[in-house]
Amino acid sequence: MGNILVVDDDRNLLELLKIRLESAGYEVIAVLKEEDAIEGAKNQAFDLAIVDLQLLRQDGISLMEELHLILPEMPVLILTAYGSIENAVEAMKKGAYSYLTKPFDPQDLLFQIERALENRRLNMEIKRLKGLLEERYGFTNIVARSEKMKKVLEMVSHIAKTESTVYIHGESGTGKELIAKAIYLASERKHKSFVAINCAALPEPLLESKLFGHEKGAFTGAIRSAKGLFAQAHGGTIFLDEIGDMSLAIQAKLLRVLQERQFYPVGSEQLVEVDVRVIVATNKNLENQVKQGLFREDLFYRIHVIPIHLPPLRDRKEDIPLLVEHFLEKFGQQMKKEMKGLTPMAMQRLMLHDWPGNVRELENTIEYAVAMTHQDTIAENFILQNKNVAISEEPLKPLKEAKDSYEKTYLIHLLETCGGNVSKAAKLAGKYRADFYDLLKKHGLKSEDFKKSQ
Ligand SMILES: Nc1ncnc2c1ncn2[C@@H]1O[C@H](COP(=O)(O)OP(=O)(O)OP(=O)(O)O)[C@@H](O)[C@H]1O
Ligand SMILES: [Mg+2]
């Protein structure tokens, strides 16, 4: 559950907090004095600290900073008296996770604690994964702010080390290949080869000899024998992209490789044994293909071992601002232009678009804008000009769904504009803080994800 350090000079409140948190299942160390807090943090790695802003000798912010020197990853919740919001905002700028105004609602307290712990857990997991990737390859190019994508990365880090076949499913341009490479880089096989092939790009006979190799003279033009990709990937990983486009004949051969790890090259009677990890990707609904008899059911179950679904970009619009930043940097560097960002109107256009081509379409949009602009801030006339952004290409949704979808887009844009500052955002939206939090919760958004310091 987690152990929590509570620091408050109000003995009664301290006692109350301890009882409440303990009954919620947390382990609690409650101290009155700053030096005891520091001492405690030196002896024990707390998962979270709750610190009163007005302490006896020190203010809570400087105590928080000292605690962060010892435990840099520990989220801190600040308790403030009513009317000292400015100090609380100051605390957040200096690295507090969030704050609560006294007297606070016990439900709210537990809710914030849970969120802080969940967020910390996810961040640590992502850091671990990124560390793994960076360690060898300086691989920092996966952007994940939405809960959905964080879960994907968490999943990647869990399954990378296994030998199981991974099935990546998602619309075109959602990042399937990127994730396949991430799995490979985080796996034990990272020192061995990674071989990728797009099964839709080659006609059947060519694909077969490409995958399994062929003997000299196996077909016209086979003037020498050739090793196939499966043999090249021996000891490593093979990535079969667009597996839904594979013909039934090759599917049968692939099934055998997956079952027995062996195959015959085209025109050869020499059985080849391989040790490969298989990652497949598809943008088709393979269950439907199976029903229509276009995809072997037995093969489907063989490959559908660890499914990873990459959500379309329109369902995780909170990733857009970070992706934009990422691509601005990438293309800015490539084109030797110092890019600062987008105008609010330009960002709004991006947020309102439905992105049928997903991340790839966004990437192309930013590449185009960076190439076209003469300024360091991209204006809206460089964004999606040839597309009618307001009119969706999707079929009309029921009103409630359309409203919800607009509401989420609006909130993301608002949080982005306010740098994750809830008070400011709530004020701009004309909502009470509590109602605003409810709205965020409804859409699975977290204000802290929009803080600039991230
Ligand atoms: N989360 C992300 N962070 C950063 N870049 C991303 C992310 N997702 C996708 N991209 C980039 O978007 C582009 C498309 O990704 P990728 O080729 O992996 O998609 P795909 O699902 O394989 O697409 P397709 O179905 O068209 O083959 C790539 O340039 C990739 O680097
Ligand atoms: Mg691809």
Side-chain angles (χ1 to χ4, degrees):
M1 283 280 326
N3 44 18
I4 302 180
L5 173 69
V6 189
V7 196
D8 199 317
D9 55 359
D10 176 343
R11 193 179 286 276
N12 292 331
L13 186 63
L14 194 66
E15 228 11 76
L16 187 69
L17 275 170
K18 187 168 157 69
I19 290 166
R20 274 200 189 135
L21 297 182
E22 281 179 345
S23 66
Y26 296 105
E27 278 178 41
V28 182
I29 303 278
V31 298
L32 283 163
K33 292 195 208 123
E34 293 88 324
E35 53 270 29
D36 293 341
I38 300 285
E39 208 42 48
K42 282 184 184 157
N43 293 329
Q44 187 182 349
F46 289 100
D47 297 310
L48 178 119
I50 300 175
V51 176
D52 187 22
L53 195 62
Q54 251 106 42
L55 293 169
L56 267 186
R57 255 161 285 171
Q58 220 174 359
D59 67 272
I61 298 183
S62 62
L63 175 63
M64 170 182 80
E65 287 180 320
E66 277 186 53
L67 289 172
H68 271 161
L69 288 179
I70 307 166
L71 300 170
E73 309 284 345
M74 174 180 68
V76 176
L77 290 180
I78 293 282
L79 302 180
T80 75
Y82 178 76
S84 56
I85 296 290
E86 271 164 30
N87 293 336
V89 171
E90 181 65 25
M92 307 253 310
K93 276 194 195 139
K94 298 222 159 120
Y97 174 80
S98 183
Y99 66 88
L100 284 160
T101 314
K102 289 191 269 191
F104 45 81
D105 169 28
Q107 272 327 97
D108 197 21
L109 171 72
L110 291 178
F111 177 63
Q112 297 236 26
I113 290 176
E114 244 168 72
R115 292 238 299 209
L117 290 176
E118 169 73 7
N119 193 54
R120 173 181 136 98
R121 198 177 58 75
L122 277 177
N123 283 342
M124 279 171 55
E125 192 55 32
I126 287 164
K127 216 169 155 183
R128 190 182 75 83
L129 171 65
K130 284 213 161 160
L132 268 180
L133 300 173
E134 274 163 34
E135 209 173 275
R136 191 167 147 77
Y137 295 91
F139 198 98
T140 49
N141 53 349
I142 304 182
V143 170
R145 171 191 270 170
S146 60
E147 213 58 18
K148 290 188 171 110
M149 279 306 289
K150 284 185 181 172
K151 292 253 156 75
V152 166
L153 284 194
E154 197 186 5
M155 177 94 171
V156 166
S157 73
H158 276 137
I159 55 104
K161 291 259 186 285
T162 69
E163 293 285 303
S164 315
T165 301
V166 183
Y167 175 94
I168 306 173
H169 175 241
E171 287 177 17
S172 181
T174 44
K176 297 187 292 295
E177 184 157 357
L178 190 69
I179 291 300
K181 283 193 186 135
I183 293 170
Y184 156 70
L185 289 173
S187 76
E188 308 282 4
R189 293 173 176 259
K190 68 180 173 187
H191 300 290
K192 300 287 176 59
S193 49
F194 177 81
V195 175
I197 178 158
N198 183 341
C199 303
L202 295 173
E204 177 183 330
L206 260 182
L207 178 63
E208 184 178 5
S209 82
K210 188 101 189 147
L211 284 174
F212 305 104
H214 60 80
E215 269 304 307
K216 184 175 169 182
F219 48 86
T220 338
I223 42 174
R224 60 179 76 88
S225 66
K227 227 178 169 188
L229 294 179
F230 268 102
Q232 283 175 35
H234 183 62
T237 305
I238 193 165
F239 174 49
L240 305 172
D241 205 356
E242 315 283 5
I243 195 165
D245 290 289
M246 206 178 249
S247 71
L248 286 163
I250 299 187
Q251 287 178 29
K253 214 158 166 175
L254 176 63
L255 180 66
R256 180 168 178 153
V257 181
L258 291 178
Q259 277 168 345
E260 292 160 35
R261 306 279 150 182
Q262 40 181 239
F263 60 88
Y264 291 101
V266 181
S268 162
E269 279 166 22
Q270 196 80 47
L271 205 55
V272 176
E273 291 208 4
V274 281
D275 161 31
V276 280
R277 180 178 199 184
V278 179
I279 302 179
V280 308
T282 176
N283 56 18
K284 295 198 169 140
N285 182 333
L286 279 197
E287 278 105 327
N288 275 348
Q289 303 261 105
V290 169
K291 281 193 201 118
Q292 291 168 26
L294 297 169
F295 202 87
R296 291 181 68 119
E297 188 170 14
D298 45 8
L299 179 60
F300 176 74
Y301 288 113
R302 271 281 159 182
I303 56 175
H304 198 265
V305 183
I306 300 178
I308 294 184
H309 176 65
L310 287 179
L313 189 56
R314 65 183 163 280
D315 290 349
R316 48 177 167 112
K317 284 191 169 173
E318 58 271 46
D319 283 339
I320 292 177
L322 276 194
L323 282 165
V324 167
E325 220 172 89
H326 173 72
F327 293 134
L328 275 183
E329 200 181 307
K330 173 173 166 187
F331 295 113
Q333 260 175 19
Q334 266 179 28
M335 301 181 205
K336 310 234 169 343
K337 289 184 174 180
E338 187 88 15
M339 299 309 305
K340 286 225 178 85
L342 268 65
T343 63
M345 280 299 284
M347 187 53 96
Q348 189 164 7
R349 277 189 88 86
L350 292 180
M351 294 304 295
L352 287 173
H353 188 50
D354 259 328
W355 302 108
N358 294 297
V359 184
R360 175 169 295 114
E361 184 188 359
L362 178 62
E363 183 171 10
N364 294 343
T365 302
I366 300 300
E367 180 173 4
Y368 172 86
V370 174
M372 296 303 284
T373 187
H374 296 296
Q375 272 142 351
D376 56 6
T377 303
I378 292 173
E380 92 236 40
N381 55 323
F382 294 118
I383 299 289
L384 298 168
Q385 270 313 310
N386 44 358
K387 299 194 179 159
N388 196 339
V389 173
I391 297 171
S392 154
E393 285 160 30
E394 272 194 303
L396 278 174
K397 297 177 189 161
L399 181 61
K400 165 128 186 26
E401 257 176 60
K403 275 185 178 165
D404 278 352
S405 153
Y406 180 80
E407 191 171 79
K408 182 168 183 194
T409 305
Y410 169 84
L411 289 172
I412 293 167
H413 191 183
L414 183 62
L415 284 170
E416 191 61 31
T417 310
C418 299
N421 182 324
V422 173
S423 313
K424 222 163 124 186
K427 202 168 159 197
L428 277 173
K431 287 270 174 193
Y432 290 111
R433 257 179 81 88
D435 295 343
F436 193 75
Y437 266 120
D438 285 347
L439 269 181
L440 294 186
K441 200 171 161 196
K442 170 175 159 195
H443 292 286
L445 296 170
K446 293 179 177 177
S447 60
E448 58 275 9
D449 285 340
F450 294 82
K451 301 248 152 65
K452 294 294 177 202
S453 59
Q454 250 202 352

